[in-house]
Amino acid sequence: MNQIHRVAIVGGNHGNELTGVYLVKKFQQYPHLIHRGSFETLSLLGNPKAIAARTRYIDTDLNRCFNQDKLSSSKISSYEELRAREIQQILQPENQKSVDTIIDLHTTTANMGLCIILGNWHPFLLKLAADLSAVNPLVKVYIHEQPQGSGFLRSLCDLGFAIEVGAVPQGILNAELFQKTEQLIYSVLDYFEDYNQGKYLPKNNTLTVYKSIGVIDYPRNEVGEIQAMIHPQLQFQDYEPLHPGDPIFLTFTGEEIFYQGNSPVYPIFINEAAYYEKGIAMHISEQQLIKIG
């Protein structure tokens, strides 16, 4: 692994996730906060029109538009597809050095605390995650494997990742989580600086990760309307084990629906507001303890 030369911090891919929006605006106003001597740091607002409208997106989800087919197509027309191409050209300019890593800032209405989302098992990212969780044991690590160019902004490069923080209502700033996100970003930048200067010493030899194994949708009728809610016993229980037979949904008439899996799983993104339209009530994961080389 060579040195880190260029880092991009992107907020506001979703226009109603204000923590990333206002952190990027802060960094643009006070660039010394993200300046480190051994690499360049860019700060970028992802979806300006959606930010102005205080909505997740204008035409389509920007954070699903960074796949190679769309980026190279001459037929794209939606605002977010065009914006994705603009962002790619900023982060990966022709005949110039691309960014080495992307820090994509998000908030969630789910109770996920401070979460690092990795799209692959790159050893550098795992060491970074282990370092961050050593500095702050509240940091969780979610592995949601996505091939490069799969549609997520972070998939534009091997070392791209997301910081997902919650629970925060859409369109709302939470001062405590804003500050925790800001400090986590500084810890990431400090790690890059120490790595470039050869100062890094491993703080953790093991790392607990939550590896994505699928999603669960709400019960729906024949026309697609949901027929049940997240069960009260499951609400806000992200990262906690869900056992076979545990209640998972509650119908509008008060009937409990139970988890029918064969083994315990660990739900994440429980009752995320933006996922209702995507047919996702929660992600499910398995907990793994891995060794860091």
Side-chain angles (χ1 to χ4, degrees):
M1 173 67 196
N2 296 321
Q3 290 200 334
I4 300 294
H5 297 285
R6 300 181 78 218
V7 175
I9 302 173
V10 182
N13 256 350
H14 298 138
N16 56 4
E17 297 178 8
L18 300 189
T19 298
V21 171
Y22 283 95
L23 277 171
V24 165
K25 288 184 176 183
K26 179 175 180 175
F27 298 152
Q28 291 177 340
Q29 185 175 1
Y30 305 104
H32 67 278
L33 294 173
I34 54 174
H35 173 76
R36 302 294 185 274
S38 66
F39 58 86
E40 176 189 7
T41 307
L42 313 175
S43 56
L44 178 68
L45 291 173
N47 197 328
K49 285 189 177 181
I51 292 169
R54 293 294 179 92
T55 188
R56 183 175 174 87
Y57 56 79
I58 300 300
D59 295 321
T60 191
D61 191 333
L62 175 61
N63 206 32
R64 304 297 185 273
C65 291
F66 294 93
N67 60 61
Q68 293 304 318
D69 289 341
K70 288 184 179 179
L71 292 172
S72 60
S73 173
S74 60
K75 298 180 181 180
I76 61 173
S77 58
S78 77
Y79 167 70
E80 274 80 12
E81 288 173 334
L82 294 169
R83 179 58 180 160
R85 182 178 292 175
E86 291 175 354
I87 291 172
Q88 183 201 31
Q89 291 170 351
I90 294 170
L91 302 185
Q92 299 176 327
E94 290 187 20
N95 302 319
Q96 297 182 46
K97 188 169 181 60
S98 299
V99 296
D100 297 294
T101 184
I102 299 167
I103 307 171
D104 187 17
L105 305 180
H106 289 271
T107 55
T108 172
T109 61
N111 189 33
M112 290 177 61
L114 297 173
C115 182
I116 305 296
I117 301 180
L118 307 183
N120 59 56
W121 296 85
H122 196 292
F124 182 86
L125 292 179
L126 294 176
K127 289 178 180 179
L128 167 64
D131 183 275
L132 295 174
S133 63
V135 172
N136 185 348
L138 296 178
V139 172
K140 298 291 195 300
V141 181
Y142 180 40
I143 308 288
H144 186 206
E145 292 182 79
Q146 296 288 333
Q148 190 165 352
S150 61
F152 292 90
L153 170 62
R154 63 181 180 268
S155 72
L156 284 179
C157 65
D158 285 340
L159 301 184
F161 63 95
I163 295 177
E164 189 85 52
V165 180
V168 182
Q170 295 177 339
I172 293 294
L173 282 166
N174 177 301
E176 179 182 5
L177 290 177
F178 181 98
Q179 291 179 321
K180 287 182 176 180
T181 306
E182 182 177 5
Q183 291 305 313
L184 189 57
I185 293 168
Y186 297 151
S187 294
V188 171
L189 298 178
D190 291 342
Y191 179 92
F192 293 160
E193 181 78 350
D194 288 346
Y195 174 83
N196 281 351
Q197 296 180 358
K199 296 180 181 179
Y200 172 68
L201 294 175
K203 294 183 174 66
N204 265 359
N205 294 321
T206 60
L207 175 66
T208 298
V209 302
Y210 297 84
K211 179 184 180 297
S212 175
I213 56 175
V215 299
I216 296 175
D217 191 10
Y218 298 92
R220 297 178 185 269
N221 63 16
E222 62 278 0
V223 296
E225 293 180 336
I226 64 172
Q227 299 298 293
M229 306 163 281
I230 297 294
H231 195 282
Q233 292 183 28
L234 182 59
Q235 182 66 44
F236 299 127
Q237 298 302 305
D238 298 74
Y239 312 111
E240 296 298 323
L242 177 68
H243 299 276
D246 285 348
I248 186 171
F249 295 111
L250 186 69
T251 71
F252 300 125
T253 57
E255 177 185 356
E256 292 183 316
I257 298 174
F258 301 96
Y259 177 58
Q260 299 297 316
N262 297 319
S263 60
V265 294
Y266 293 80
I268 296 176
F269 281 112
I270 298 172
N271 208 13
E272 161 59 43
Y275 287 176
Y276 277 70
E277 70 177 28
K278 298 182 185 299
I280 298 173
M282 68 196 75
H283 287 216
I284 53 173
S285 68
E286 60 184 17
Q287 188 186 69
Q288 297 182 1
L289 181 66
I290 63 173
K291 291 185 177 180
I292 304 299

